[in-house]
């Protein structure tokens, strides 16, 4: 088999070329090829060595698919130490994204040249890991401790020019990299440049308080995560002699490797990329062009969706029923852009350019030549059908018609047109210009090219898209019903808004369920229930308290009070004794003896309700694969990424444990809410896991 590493002498320079698509990951074969090459260079006629990559990027890191498998020599840290020990100059030529073990390879080289479009970084923390091949020891020696702490704890790549400013890169060029790198290497030789080993450099001392401050900052920013704290320990160890610091780095790297948090984050890395693939569809299906977009409805969702497209450079026409509504919609968009400029997230020029891409109209005829229309009006099924019938008559034949409904029947909406094959759901999450998740709902008749076009478009507007089948609430909202039901039941049985929220927040959720209810607005659920006959409503214990609060005018954050009270100026929430009175009164009327609930029971009831419904969503084929469900919950519902999502988490706990707990809840609370999903019972009976089930399909 051909080695992905080539070595040849070009003009007295030993050029090591790596060609391991798609991202030149440091697989075993690449490491072996590099070791052979650097050893050959020590004794051949070359005067210096240049490390260069083919394809779209320099090495983007260790090969993550090899993690968890038995380690194979050469081990990366040893290979990089051998590169650094070279008696001949070693230059690394960087383009694309030089990340993780790739950037560590550059740091172990003696000199670094980069294309001005290159980005460099150490993103291991996003995988629950840390740079395990000298990055935590060499980066501080070149850029200083504080810059290294920022680079490694954030995991965010930086542009080549910025890296040059901190000493991490020596030369930045804008023309043909290989030629420039060969010329640069010759210039170094001509100038008599010395072999410069980073590990031999001194680390500029800092006030030890820097490390403590960084620990507090990452403990706040990466709440519950262990890798960021281990990174600070590593960088602090860089003040020791290199060999000691490197030893500490290896110990902490192995701790990360064995930490379930890293398994969760690595699972998410691949699940997010798998989610973009549509089962059963060829990857080269012909896509439709999407150059112009129309949006019907300029409310909060419509405005946010318009910004997502404008931010990606795609012109948008926003339709509203009349001029006043249109003015309101466009002013919300303008206000949001002004806010981004004020917070320094966007330059005034970029904001203006995006704003200018959003035009308004009250005339459907202005949608005649758009490639895609997204309907984003309130959840009235008849109104949506009317709108789709109108779009069917005004839009061009190959336009795609999408609905942003959160739970309505997409097939029923499609049936209101003569072209159901061009109709699907595009369920954005609020605020749509911020939230990355997009549920793409495939209707019975949705064309393959329509689905594939929208999945590809999602990447253009920087969304993480997941395919969902048609059912009430699709993947996310359907599973959420059980989660919220249990939150309300735990509340009325003995919890308080604070205790239920604290249990879930401390477990890792971005926000507790009671606070989420206040954010979403308690009146949304109230109106939906009022529209239903009493006997079709859920268990009254799960809504009597929020309904009582609504009838007191406590709608949530939007009215300044809900389960909590909110300071009008700071929006800071505080407890309110009046709410506890309502909870105790409703409990009494429902004959409930309130008992304090342990936090782990609250967590198990809410999370296992998610898992159980998630397994039904999977066995019904609403979700293509379990990883998609995990992506939905992490990008749409504040589920902690380091727990890997509901499906991965269930496997981590063990399905037999999950089933035993669900059966216990069935005994205690009844089969209506706690009948195990058939797939759960099947997998436990077979002694297998959800991920194994996914592999066998
Ligand atoms: N290992 C294996 N496969 C990888 C990979 C990697 N490091 N990076 C990407 N891929 C695959 C990916 O799964 C996908 O496969 C394809 O490449 C294209 O990726 C010791 C321990 C480089 C910015 O964390 O951030 O080094 O789906 O769709 O949007 O200290 O990939 O096509 O089959 O993401 O253009 C550190 C991870 C590793 C960088 C390109 N490195 N990669 O983004 O393409 S840990 C990272 C990325 C480490 C050392 C430690 C991105 C990218 P498929 P893609 P993209």
């Amino acid at each position: 088999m051909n080695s992905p590493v080539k070595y040849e002498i070009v003009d007295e320079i030993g050029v090591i070329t790596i060609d391991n698509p798609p991202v030149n990951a440091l697989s075993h074969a690449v490491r072996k090829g590099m070791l052979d090459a650097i050893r050959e260079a020590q004794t051949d006629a070359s005067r210096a060595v240049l490390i260069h990559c083919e394809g779209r990027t320099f090495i983007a890191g260790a090969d993550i698919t090899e993690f968890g498998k038995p380690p194979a020599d050469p081990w990366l840290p040893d290979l990089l130490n051998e590169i650094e020990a070279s008696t001949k100059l070693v230059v690394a030529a960087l383009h694309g994204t030089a990340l993780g073990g790739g950037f560590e390879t550059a740091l172990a080289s003696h000199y670094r040249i980069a294309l001005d479009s290159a980005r460099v970084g150490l993103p291991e923390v996003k995988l629950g890991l840390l740079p395990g091949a000298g990055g935590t020891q060499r980066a501080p020696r070149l850029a200083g401790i504080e810059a290294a702490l920022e680079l490694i704890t954030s995991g965010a790549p930086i542009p080549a020019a910025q890296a040059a400013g901190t000493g991490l890169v020596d030369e930045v060029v804008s023309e043909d990299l290989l030629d420039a790198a060969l010329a640069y290497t010759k210039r170094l030789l001509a100038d008599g440049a010395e072999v410069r080993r980073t590990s031999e450099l001194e680390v500029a001392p800092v006030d030890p308080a820097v490390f403590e401050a960084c620990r507090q900052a990452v403990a706040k920013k990466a709440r519950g995560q262990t890798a960021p704290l281990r990174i600070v320990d590593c960088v602090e160890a860089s003040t020791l002699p290199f060999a000691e610091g490197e030893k500490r780095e290896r110990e902490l790297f192995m701790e990360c490797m064995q930490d379930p948090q890293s398994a969760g984050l690595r699972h998410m890395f691949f699940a997010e990329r798998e989610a973009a693939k549509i089962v059963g569809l060829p990857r080269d299906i012909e896509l439709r062009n999407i150059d112009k977009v129309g949006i019907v409805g300029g409310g909060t969702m419509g405005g946010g969706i318009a910004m997502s497209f404008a931010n990606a450079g795609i012109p948008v026409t926003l339709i509203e029923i009349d001029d006043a509504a249109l003015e309101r919609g466009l002013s919300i968009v303008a206000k949001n852009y002004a806010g981004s400029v004020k917070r320094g997230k966007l330059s005034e020029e970029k904001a203006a350019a995006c704003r200018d891409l959003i035009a308004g109209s009250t005339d459907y005829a202005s949608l005649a030549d758009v490639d895609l229309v997204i309907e984003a009006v309130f959840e009235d099924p008849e109104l949506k059908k009317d709108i789709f019938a109108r779009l069917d008559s005004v839009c061009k034949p190959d336009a795609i018609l999408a609905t942003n409904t959160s739970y309505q029947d997409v097939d029923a909406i499609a049936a209101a047109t003569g072209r159901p094959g061009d109709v699907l759901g595009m369920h954005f999450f609020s605020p749509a210009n911020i939230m990355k998740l997009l549920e793409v709902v495939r209707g019975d008749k949705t064309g393959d090219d329509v689905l594939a076009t929208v999945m590809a478009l999602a990447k253009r507007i920087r969304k993480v898209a997941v395919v969902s089948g048609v059912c009430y609430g699709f993947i996310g909202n359907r599973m959420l019903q059980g989660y919220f039901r249990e939150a309300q039941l735990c509340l009325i049985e003995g919890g308080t808004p604070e205790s239920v929220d604290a249990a879930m927040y401390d477990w890792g959720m971005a926000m507790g369920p009671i606070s989420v209810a206040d954010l979403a607005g308690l009146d949304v659920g109230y109106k939906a229930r009022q529209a239903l006959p009493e006997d079709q409503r859920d268990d009254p214990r799960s809504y009597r308290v929020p309904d009582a609060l609504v009838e007191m005018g406590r709608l949530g954050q939007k009215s300044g009070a809900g389960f909590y009270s909110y300071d009008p100026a700071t929006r800071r929430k505080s407890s309110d004794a009046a709410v506890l009175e309502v909870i105790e009164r409703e409990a009494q009327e429902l004959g409930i003896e309130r008992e304090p609930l342990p936090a782990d029971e609250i967590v198990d009831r809410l999370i296992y309700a998610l898992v159980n419904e998630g397994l039904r969503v999977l066995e019904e084929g609403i979700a293509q694969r379990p990883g998609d469900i995990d992506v939905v919950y992490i990008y749409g519902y504040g589920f902690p990424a380091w727990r890997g999502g509901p499906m991965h988490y269930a496997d981590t706990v063990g399905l037999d444990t999950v089933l035993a707990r669900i059966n216990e809840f069935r005994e205690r609370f009844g089969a209506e809410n706690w009948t195990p999903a058939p797939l759960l019972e099947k997998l436990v009976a077979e002694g297998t896991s959800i991920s194994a089930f996914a592999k066998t399909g």
Side-chain angles (χ1 to χ4, degrees):
M1 198 176 84
N2 272 347
S3 166
V5 178
K6 215 174 54 199
Y7 177 68
E8 59 184 341
I9 300 180
V10 179
D11 291 352
E12 299 183 306
I13 310 286
V15 179
I16 300 177
T17 304
I18 298 154
D19 188 5
N20 183 31
V23 295
N24 289 313
L26 284 158
S27 64
H28 177 238
V30 170
R31 297 193 310 272
K32 178 114 184 30
M34 289 173 73
L35 186 67
D36 295 346
I38 197 74
R39 286 184 173 168
E40 187 176 336
Q42 301 312 300
T43 56
D44 66 14
S46 64
R47 294 181 55 217
V49 178
L50 174 64
I51 301 176
H52 172 251
C53 288
E54 294 289 359
R56 63 179 163 152
T57 181
F58 187 77
I59 303 165
D63 187 333
I64 308 171
T65 62
E66 290 184 353
F67 292 173
K69 296 179 183 149
D73 283 337
W75 219 35
L76 187 58
D78 303 334
L79 166 64
L80 299 192
N81 286 346
E82 195 147 337
I83 287 174
E84 189 185 64
S86 166
T87 54
K88 298 178 180 178
L89 289 185
V90 178
V91 176
L94 317 180
H95 73 292
T97 48
L99 303 174
F103 192 47
E104 289 175 297
T105 303
L107 295 175
S109 304
H110 306 140
Y111 296 89
R112 287 154 290 280
I113 178 170
L115 213 50
D116 52 9
S117 57
R119 297 171 69 76
V120 303
L122 297 167
E124 285 85 346
V125 70
K126 296 181 181 167
L127 298 169
L129 299 171
L130 53 85
T136 68
Q137 305 304 304
R138 291 191 172 98
R141 284 172 164 77
L142 289 170
I145 281 176
E146 280 154 296
L149 281 171
E150 172 52 31
L151 185 73
I152 307 174
T153 57
S154 72
I158 58 175
Q162 184 183 341
T166 58
L168 291 168
V169 163
D170 302 293
E171 183 93 354
V172 177
V173 293
S174 55
E175 74 275 349
D176 180 322
L177 180 64
L178 183 55
D179 289 352
L182 286 167
Y184 172 61
T185 309
K186 284 185 210 149
R187 202 169 68 234
L188 287 169
L189 289 169
D191 298 347
E194 302 270 319
V195 162
R196 189 182 60 172
R197 299 190 174 97
T198 310
S199 62
E200 294 167 2
L201 299 175
E202 286 301 314
V203 173
V206 294
D207 178 341
V210 164
F211 298 110
E212 216 29 58
C214 189
R215 286 188 179 91
Q216 283 164 15
V218 295
K220 199 152 167 260
K221 202 160 152 235
R223 195 169 54 84
Q225 296 190 49
T226 50
L229 295 166
R230 291 191 181 113
I231 288 169
V232 181
D233 295 347
C234 284
V235 175
E236 188 168 28
S238 72
T239 56
L240 303 169
F242 183 82
E244 286 178 45
E246 191 188 31
K247 183 167 171 294
R248 188 79 188 109
E249 178 191 90
R250 284 199 190 164
E251 290 161 1
L252 291 165
F253 178 78
M254 291 319 290
E255 283 183 21
C256 285
M257 219 20 146
Q258 275 120 32
D259 192 320
Q261 294 196 1
S262 181
L265 289 163
R266 279 183 265 146
H267 162 72
M268 279 315 303
F269 178 84
F270 290 112
E272 185 182 330
R273 284 152 182 81
E274 277 303 297
K277 299 164 190 163
I278 309 165
V279 173
L281 249 61
R283 291 186 77 175
D284 58 357
I285 190 167
E286 196 185 333
L287 306 180
R288 299 188 188 182
N289 285 331
I290 306 291
D291 300 326
K292 270 193 208 166
V293 169
I295 295 170
V296 179
T300 310
M301 287 308 292
I305 296 169
M307 291 174 73
S308 299
F309 284 94
N311 296 352
I314 301 172
V316 177
T317 302
L318 194 60
I319 300 282
E320 258 295 357
I321 45 175
D322 58 36
D323 291 338
L326 186 58
E327 191 38 51
R328 231 184 357 264
L330 292 174
S331 66
I332 293 171
V333 168
K335 205 166 114 254
N336 286 341
Y337 276 123
S340 301
V341 172
K342 198 154 159 252
R343 289 191 304 280
K345 293 250 190 262
L346 214 55
S347 68
E348 181 50 58
E349 297 68 43
K350 173 74 181 165
C354 292
R355 255 196 331 267
D356 294 348
L357 282 172
I358 303 175
S361 168
T362 57
D363 182 357
Y364 271 68
S366 53
L367 298 176
D369 67 344
V370 299
D371 306 302
L372 163 70
V373 183
I374 302 171
E375 161 275 313
V377 303
F378 56 90
E379 296 285 12
D380 172 342
E382 293 318 311
L383 172 62
K384 289 181 187 288
K385 289 176 193 162
D386 288 353
I387 289 171
F388 272 73
R390 284 183 76 179
L391 293 174
D392 192 15
S393 64
V394 296
C395 292
K396 64 182 182 180
D398 63 347
I400 294 176
L401 309 181
T403 171
N404 176 54
T405 180
S406 305
Y407 52 83
Q408 303 274 353
D409 182 345
V410 172
D411 292 324
I413 293 171
T417 74
R419 50 168 118 180
D422 297 334
V423 177
L424 80 178
M426 289 179 74
H427 177 211
F428 289 79
F429 287 72
S430 183
N433 55 313
I434 309 286
M435 294 294 283
K436 286 184 68 83
L437 182 65
L438 176 65
E439 278 184 323
V440 177
V441 185
R442 178 191 213 162
D444 277 353
K445 298 203 171 61
T446 300
D448 290 347
D449 65 331
V450 168
L451 182 63
T453 298
V454 168
M455 290 299 282
L457 176 65
K459 219 171 180 177
R460 269 173 71 193
I461 60 173
R462 300 191 195 84
K463 298 296 182 192
V464 175
V466 171
V467 175
S468 173
V470 174
C471 69
Y472 187 89
F474 315 131
I475 297 173
N477 285 346
R478 171 175 165 178
M479 290 167 63
L480 199 65
Q481 291 182 309
Y483 178 88
F484 273 138
R485 178 198 67 227
E486 290 305 314
Q488 290 301 326
L489 290 174
C490 289
L491 192 62
I492 202 162
E493 288 170 24
T496 63
E498 297 75 14
S499 69
V500 174
D501 273 352
M504 299 314 296
Y505 184 78
D506 296 348
W507 186 81
M509 295 300 286
M511 188 188 272
I514 308 298
S515 298
V516 172
D518 266 1
L519 184 66
L522 307 180
D523 54 330
V524 179
Y526 180 82
K527 286 191 194 125
R529 274 187 294 279
Q530 293 305 309
L532 291 172
E534 189 90 28
D535 60 355
Q536 280 183 25
R537 294 183 196 162
D538 282 344
D539 176 341
R541 296 171 305 155
S542 69
Y543 63 77
R544 280 276 295 266
V545 172
D547 283 10
L549 295 176
V550 170
E551 283 153 10
M552 293 163 68
R554 302 178 69 106
L555 312 184
Q557 277 200 26
K558 59 182 154 189
S559 70
F563 282 100
Y564 297 96
S565 292
Y566 297 87
D567 179 295
T570 64
R571 297 179 81 82
R572 184 179 288 283
K573 71 179 180 198
S574 58
S575 308
D576 191 326
V579 173
L580 202 51
E581 281 167 26
V582 170
I583 296 171
E584 286 164 350
R585 184 192 69 222
E586 294 298 332
Q588 198 176 15
E589 283 178 18
L590 288 162
I592 298 170
E593 289 290 320
R594 283 173 47 81
E595 289 286 328
L597 277 84
D600 67 335
E601 173 170 327
I602 295 173
V603 169
D604 285 355
R605 285 172 65 173
L606 275 70
I607 298 299
Y608 291 167
L610 276 184
V611 169
N612 203 32
E613 194 61 25
L615 287 164
R616 287 202 176 90
V617 161
L618 196 56
E619 64 196 335
E620 291 171 22
I622 298 292
Q624 299 188 102
R625 52 183 83 84
D628 290 9
I629 294 174
D630 293 335
V631 169
V632 163
Y633 263 78
I634 279 151
Y635 281 102
Y637 297 86
F639 196 102
W642 47 274
R643 289 191 186 276
M647 299 291 105
H648 176 87
Y649 174 70
D651 272 351
T652 308
V653 172
L655 297 185
D656 49 353
T657 303
V658 174
L659 180 58
R661 191 69 153 147
I662 289 178
N663 283 333
E664 176 206 324
F665 291 155
R666 176 165 57 182
E667 293 307 310
R668 291 172 53 197
F669 306 120
E672 191 191 342
N673 293 340
W674 288 106
T675 296
L679 180 58
L680 176 58
E681 293 181 313
K682 175 175 176 290
L683 296 177
V684 171
E686 293 168 2
T688 186
S689 67
I690 298 172
S691 58
F693 163 75
K695 291 200 183 83
T696 53

